[in-house]
Amino acid sequence: MGLALAEKLLATGIAVTIAGRSAERLAQARAKLGNAPRLQTVAADATCEEDVVRLFSSAGDIDHIVSTAADVSGVYVLLPSMDISIARRVLDSKVIAPLLLAKHGAPRLTAGGSITFTSGIAAYRPAPKGTVVAAINGAIESLVYALALELAPIRVNAISPGWVDTPIWGSVAGEGAAVTLAAMAKRLPVGRVGEASDIAHAIEAVMRNGFISGTVVHVDGGQRLV
Ligand SMILES: NC(=O)c1ccc[n+]([C@@H]2O[C@H](COP(=O)([O-])OP(=O)(O)OC[C@H]3O[C@@H](n4cnc5c(N)ncnc54)[C@H](OP(=O)(O)O)[C@@H]3O)[C@@H](O)[C@H]2O)c1
């Protein structure tokens, strides 16, 4: 989703910095984005405060901050098998990382700036083995409401994706990912699962609309209704 958003913003002439933990994966992302001159890549772990400080120290003034980071590998298990250190890692990537990005990024935001995080359908359609992700997605949404007040007039929002065909499904369902996604597509009112570009489109809309703050935008093909 982050890659799709970067592609969309670069196409409109906006300068974009993308961050991730792996220099190698960032180089692949840069190549996919056509080595765009307005693109910067920074290797940084968003759960590490030192890395987040370094990320912003080289950035100058910023108009918008978006986090789509999540490290969910190994977390989809029933409670008796749960390794709490894995639950903490997921919490770090989806809640603590956004907190750090807000803490160190907000002072650099220009007037009219915004912060957008990514929660998810699991908060509304929880399932066995999805306990940790359900709780974390709910936490992100409450974080957004509180930060929208504390950081005002900076706008703070979340996008809540439904099931979207991205590499995360390798961690969620392994080799069964395609079958699982196809079964969900049949159930959804829109008749398909999401594409990363669906989410990128919604994030861009929230970034640009100066009257949206403290809001969770659902981009889930109607999944909350089925
Ligand atoms: N896809 C879905 O069906 C779906 C549904 C509901 C919600 N969501 C949520 O939507 C968001 C985006 O998901 P996606 O499908 O685009 O996932 P993805 O393809 O797995 O991408 C997640 C990105 O996060 C980065 N990342 C993970 N931990 C990080 C850390 N500590 N610091 C910096 N970067 C980190 C990863 O890069 P590195 O590994 O290189 O660091 C990766 O590029 C996530 O919050 C996810 O939980 C997704």
Side-chain angles (χ1 to χ4, degrees), residues 1-2 19-22 25 44-47 68-72 93-94 118-121 137 161-169:
M1 292 178 197
R21 293 166 298 179
S22 152
R25 283 193 289 274
D45 181 342
T47 69
T68 59
D71 183 349
V72 298
S93 70
K94 287 204 56 153
T118 318
S119 57
I121 186 69
N137 284 340
W163 288 17
V164 180
D165 190 359
T166 70
I168 207 170
W169 279 90

Side-chain angles (χ1 to χ4, degrees), residues 33-122:
L33 295 168
N35 287 306
R38 286 172 178 273
L39 173 67
Q40 271 200 314
T41 58
V42 179
D45 181 342
T47 69
C48 165
E49 189 154 14
E50 268 178 30
D51 279 18
V52 174
V53 169
R54 178 172 50 79
L55 171 67
F56 285 116
S57 66
S58 62
D61 284 348
I62 300 162
D63 297 313
H64 305 282
I65 297 169
V66 177
S67 178
T68 59
D71 183 349
V72 298
S73 57
V75 80
Y76 290 96
V77 294
L78 293 173
L79 213 48
S81 316
M82 189 174 292
D83 175 342
I84 289 302
S85 68
I86 292 179
R88 288 206 172 98
R89 166 171 40 77
V90 184
L91 184 73
D92 271 359
S93 70
K94 287 204 56 153
V95 178
I96 302 301
L99 259 181
L100 290 172
L101 292 168
K103 177 180 173 185
H104 296 289
R108 294 190 174 262
L109 280 171
T110 53
S114 76
I115 300 178
T116 309
F117 299 141
T118 318
S119 57
I121 186 69

Side-chain angles (χ1 to χ4, degrees), residues 117-160:
F117 299 141
T118 318
S119 57
I121 186 69
Y124 299 87
R125 286 290 173 274
K129 299 189 180 176
T131 315
V132 171
V133 175
I136 284 171
N137 284 340
I140 292 164
E141 298 190 359
S142 294
L143 175 66
V144 156
Y145 305 143
L147 284 180
L149 293 176
E150 181 167 332
L151 298 179
I154 292 168
R155 297 177 298 108
V156 185
N157 296 293
I159 301 296
S160 176

